[in-house]
Amino acid sequence: MTHDRTTAPTSIVVFGGTGDLAKRKLFPAFFNLFIDEWMPKQFQILALGRKQYTQEGFRAYVLENLKEFSRNNNYTEEQWMSFSEKITFLNFDITDENSFLNLNDKLTAFDVACNKRTNRLFYLSVAPSFIDKVSVNLHKTGLASNIEKDRIIIEKPFGYDKASAIALNKLLNENFKEEQIYRIDHYLGKETVQNILAFRFANTVFEPLWSNRHIESVQITVAEQVGVEDRGGYYDHSGALRDMIQNHLLQILCMVAMDAPVEFESALIRDKKAEILKAVRRIKPEDINHYTVRAQYTEGVIKGDAKQGYRQEPGVDPNSNTETFVAMKFYIDNPRWQGVPFYMRTGKSMEQKKSSVVVNFKDVPNKTFVNGRNNPVPNQLTINIQPEMDIRLSFMAKKPGLDMTLNPVEMVFDYFECAPDSPEAYETLLIDALDGDSTLFMRSDQVEEAWDIIATIQEEWENGTYSPMHTYAAGSWGPAAADELLSRQGHRWLSTTVEELREETNGKTV
Ligand code: NAD
C-alpha cells in the first residue's frame, strides 16, 4: 500500500523509550505505520531510557513486545529488519545535560545523512515530574528550536488541577511555541470518536435534530472492567474525576456538543471545542451532591472471579478517599443545549468494559400509538466507541403480523464489518503529529477549561462535607445513587443494544 503524502525526514525521540507506554503502544504503533507505509521515507527512532541495553538487546526487546502487543502480527522478516535498523537505543539521564549533548550528536548525524535539517518529534513518555527538566534542556540545547519542524508530544495527565495545568502551560510556552506542543488524549484518536464529526457535519439528516428541540438527554459512559491492577499507588493520588472525566469524557462531550466549524481545520475545530467547554455550567459547592456521585468499589465478582475491594488493593491507602467511580450531570449554557442534561459515568471494576455515547431523543409529540401495548420508545442514537465500534439508530417499526404492534428496530453501521483491522488510536495520533496536524490534540485553553469545570468538585471532594463516598460491588454498574441522579428527572441509564431495548419495551428492565 502506498499513500499519497510525503512526510519530511524525521527523527523521533522517545523519552521513556524503555517504559510501559512505549512497549505497549508506541513501538507497535510506529511499526504498524511502517508496515502500512505511512512512515516518512527517511526516519530514525531514538529510544531513550535509563536501563542498559546493547542495540541488539533493545531491538530484541522491541520485537518481543510487538509480538505481545501489536494489533498486527502479519509482517515479514524483511519488514522487521528494515524497521529495526532505524531504532537506536540511547542510555539517557534526563537530569544530566551531557545526555542532551549526546542526543544532539545523534540528531545532527541524521541531518547530515539526509543532507538537510530534518523534522524532530520529541515524545515525552515519562512521568510528569520530568517534563520540566526535559523542556528546559531541550530549549537550552536548542534541539527543538525550529518552530516549523520540531514538535513535542506531552502525555496525560496534563497537570493535577487547574493551577498546575496553568503552570505547565506556562513552562511549555516559555520553551516552545504553542503550535509545537501536542497534548495527547488517545481517546481523540479512536476511529469511532473521530467519526462523530463526520456523522454530524457530513450529513443533512442528523444536524437539524441535534439540539434541545429534539434531544432529551445525552449519556456518555466510559466503563472499565479492570480494577487498578498494579497501579494502585498512582491511582490513589488521582481518581476517576482527574483520570477520566477531566480529559476523555469532556473531550467526547466536545465532539458531541460542538458547533460546526466553518472548515475542517485545526484552529477552527479547536475553537469550537473550547467554546463548549467555556459554556459548560460550573457547579457551585453547595450543589455538588445534587450533580455528582462518587464511589469506590468493594469486593465483588467479575467474569466469575472474586475481586477484592479498592481499599484492599496493593498500593492503596486502606482509608483512601479516592473515587473509582463518578457519575455526574452537566448542563451547557448555550442556545443549542440549554436545558439538556449531559450525564457522564466512568468507573473501574464495572460489569463490562464499555465506552459509548447515547443520544436520547424526545418522546413522539403525537399520541397515535400510545396505548400500553404499543407505547413507542423514544428514538435513540448510540455511538459505541469500544469494545463494540458502531453507530446504531433505533426507531419504532410495525412487528410483521396482523396486529398493529410496534417494536424497536435499528439501523447499524458497524466498523468491524467494514474494517476489522482498523488502526489503533496511537497510530492516528502519531501520524498526525508527524504531519504537523494538531486537530486531534488539546490546546492549552481547552485543557485549562476542562480543569476549571471540575475545580470546585475537586475542592469539595477533598475538603468539603457535602458529598458522601458511595460504594458499589465490583462487577456492578455502580452505586444506586448513580441511578437516582437520573431518575430524579425521569431518566435512566440507557441500553446500547436493540435486544436490551426490546426487553425494556416488553416490560423487563435491564
Ligand atoms: P514507566 O514508568 O513505565 O516508564 C518511565 C520511563 O521513564 C522509563 O523508560 C524510564 O527509563 C524513564 N526514566 C525515568 N527516569 C528517568 C531519567 N532520570 N532519565 C531518563 N529516563 C528516565 O511510565 P509509562 O507507564 O510508560 O508512562 C509514561 C508517561 O505516559 C507518563 O506520563 C504516563 O502518565 C503516561 N501514560 C501512560 C500510559 C500507560 O498505559 N502506560 C497511559 C496513558 C498515559
Side-chain angles (χ1 to χ4, degrees):
M1 194 193 323
T2 49
H3 301 282
D4 183 21
R5 56 188 280 289
T6 45
T7 300
T10 307
S11 279
I12 298 159
V13 181
V14 183
F15 290 89
T18 55
D20 180 67
L21 184 71
K23 87 171 176 192
R24 289 191 306 110
K25 297 290 180 190
L26 304 185
F27 279 104
F30 284 126
F31 187 44
N32 285 325
L33 290 172
F34 178 75
I35 296 172
D36 292 342
E37 299 186 15
W38 284 100
M39 288 298 275
K41 288 269 170 297
Q42 290 172 291
F43 73 94
Q44 66 164 348
I45 302 179
L46 301 173
L48 319 185
R50 269 186 318 178
K51 289 186 188 147
Q52 293 289 354
Y53 280 103
T54 60
Q55 297 307 338
E56 294 70 34
F58 186 73
R59 289 169 186 170
Y61 160 81
V62 171
L63 180 60
E64 197 183 303
N65 294 322
L66 286 179
K67 287 181 180 153
E68 189 172 351
F69 299 111
S70 173
R71 69 174 165 87
N72 174 11
N73 272 313
N74 194 12
Y75 54 85
T76 63
E77 176 67 15
E78 200 187 340
Q79 283 172 317
W80 162 248
M81 289 311 289
S82 56
F83 178 74
S84 70
E85 66 194 24
K86 294 178 186 300
I87 304 174
T88 304
F89 173 74
L90 220 57
N91 183 263
F92 200 91
D93 184 353
I94 288 169
T95 58
D96 178 5
E97 229 174 277
N98 287 324
S99 286
F100 285 82
L101 298 177
N102 192 14
L103 173 62
N104 187 24
D105 292 345
K106 298 282 179 211
L107 293 170
T108 312
F110 188 66
D111 289 353
V112 170
C114 296
N115 206 16
K116 64 191 291 194
R117 170 59 159 82
T118 60
N119 287 10
R120 294 172 184 176
L121 182 65
F122 298 94
Y123 201 120
L124 272 58
S125 182
V126 287
S129 54
F130 285 122
I131 296 178
D132 184 354
K133 267 267 171 306
V134 175
S135 308
V136 168
N137 279 327
L138 282 179
H139 178 70
K140 234 198 248 175
T141 47
L143 296 188
S145 58
N146 189 317
I147 297 160
E148 273 84 43
K149 290 175 184 278
D150 302 336
R151 291 153 204 154
I152 294 92
I153 300 184
I154 310 283
E155 259 298 338
K156 80 164 228 194
F158 195 90
Y160 187 72
D161 55 15
K162 189 179 171 191
S164 59
I166 291 173
L168 186 49
N169 277 332
K170 185 167 174 288
L171 168 89
L172 291 171
N173 289 320
E174 277 164 10
N175 293 302
F176 316 106
K177 292 277 176 232
E178 176 64 25
E179 55 268 36
Q180 291 182 275
I181 305 165
Y182 288 67
R183 297 169 191 80
I184 211 161
D185 182 335
H186 74 272
Y187 253 74
L188 293 178
K190 289 183 185 291
E191 282 284 344
T192 31
V193 173
Q194 289 181 71
N195 195 41
I196 295 174
L197 296 192
F199 178 82
R200 290 190 50 205
F201 301 137
N203 294 294
T204 319
V205 292
F206 304 114
E207 197 54 18
L209 304 176
W210 214 255
S211 74
N212 53 8
R213 284 193 62 200
H214 301 283
I215 292 176
E216 172 70 20
S217 69
V218 178
Q219 304 184 357
I220 302 174
T221 297
V222 177
E224 295 176 285
Q225 207 173 33
V226 291
V228 292
E229 312 294 288
D230 55 358
R231 297 179 70 226
Y234 158 78
Y235 193 87
D236 209 31
H237 294 101
S238 179
L241 184 68
R242 281 193 179 89
D243 204 42
M244 301 298 285
I245 299 271
Q246 186 275 339
N247 39 67
H248 305 323
L249 281 95
L250 283 174
Q251 289 303 316
I252 296 172
L253 172 89
C254 289
M255 303 288 256
V256 174
M258 67 189 268
D259 283 337
V262 178
E263 269 177 60
F264 196 77
E265 197 271 319
S266 175
L268 300 174
I269 293 174
R270 300 202 301 177
D271 284 348
K272 293 293 176 196
K273 288 183 180 176
E275 273 172 25
I276 284 295
L277 293 172
K278 284 195 182 87
V280 169
R281 190 181 304 164
R282 284 11 181 198
I283 304 173
K284 296 195 194 90
E286 60 272 28
D287 294 334
I288 282 170
N289 195 29
H290 181 78
Y291 284 99
T292 68
V293 172
R294 61 170 166 164
Q296 279 176 347
Y297 62 85
T298 53
E299 62 184 11
V301 176
I302 296 182
K303 287 203 243 170
D305 293 332
K307 175 93 186 86
Q308 63 189 345
Y310 175 64
R311 290 183 179 189
Q312 288 75 52
E313 298 277 19
V316 173
D317 178 351
N319 299 311
S320 172
N321 198 32
T322 301
E323 74 289 348
T324 62
F325 174 94
V326 176
M328 56 196 303
K329 179 168 69 168
F330 284 118
Y331 285 101
I332 299 174
D333 287 328
N334 66 13
R336 186 198 281 264
W337 294 116
Q338 196 59 251
V340 178
F342 282 76
Y343 298 111
M344 291 189 181
R345 65 177 163 171
T346 182
K348 289 197 172 285
S349 291
M350 298 194 64
E351 187 174 317
Q352 279 174 31
K353 174 181 170 143
K354 176 177 277 298
S355 299
S356 64
V357 177
V358 180
V359 178
N360 179 28
F361 288 90
K362 288 188 188 288
D363 280 332
V364 184
N366 48 296
K367 301 269 187 232
T368 317
F369 286 109
V370 178
N371 68 23
R373 193 175 48 133
N374 275 326
N375 221 359
V377 180
N379 297 110
Q380 185 177 311
L381 180 85
T382 305
I383 300 168
N384 280 315
I385 295 168
Q386 67 176 29
E388 291 87 13
M389 292 169 65
D390 54 36
I391 298 182
R392 323 176 81 93
L393 179 66
S394 83
F395 57 97
M396 298 303 288
K398 182 186 172 302
K399 246 185 183 173
L402 298 177
D403 278 354
M404 189 62 189
T405 307
L406 305 187
N407 204 22
V409 293
E410 61 179 2
M411 291 194 285
V412 179
F413 165 62
D414 189 337
Y415 265 93
F416 281 121
E417 260 173 37
C418 60
D421 195 23
S422 55
E424 286 248 354
Y426 274 95
E427 293 172 44
T428 305
L429 296 170
L430 286 170
I431 208 70
D432 282 358
L434 283 165
D435 282 349
D437 179 350
S438 55
T439 312
L440 296 176
F441 295 82
M442 291 179 297
R443 209 167 53 187
S444 56
D445 55 341
Q446 278 174 271
V447 175
E448 288 174 19
E449 286 296 335
W451 280 116
D452 189 62
I453 289 169
I454 65 160
T456 38
I457 306 168
Q458 279 184 295
E459 167 73 13
E460 164 58 24
W461 284 0
E462 263 154 47
N463 306 313
T465 51
Y466 291 113
S467 303
M469 177 70 79
H470 297 272
T471 56
Y472 60 104
S476 71
W477 274 113
D483 297 334
E484 285 151 22
L485 179 75
L486 277 68
S487 62
R488 287 202 299 265
Q489 245 164 294
H491 296 149
R492 64 198 161 78
W493 296 105
L494 293 164
S495 315
T496 55
T497 65
V498 79
E499 290 75 24
E500 290 169 340
L501 260 182
R502 282 207 190 109
E503 280 195 49
E504 286 169 12
T505 32
N506 292 338
K508 295 177 220 153
T509 39
V510 178

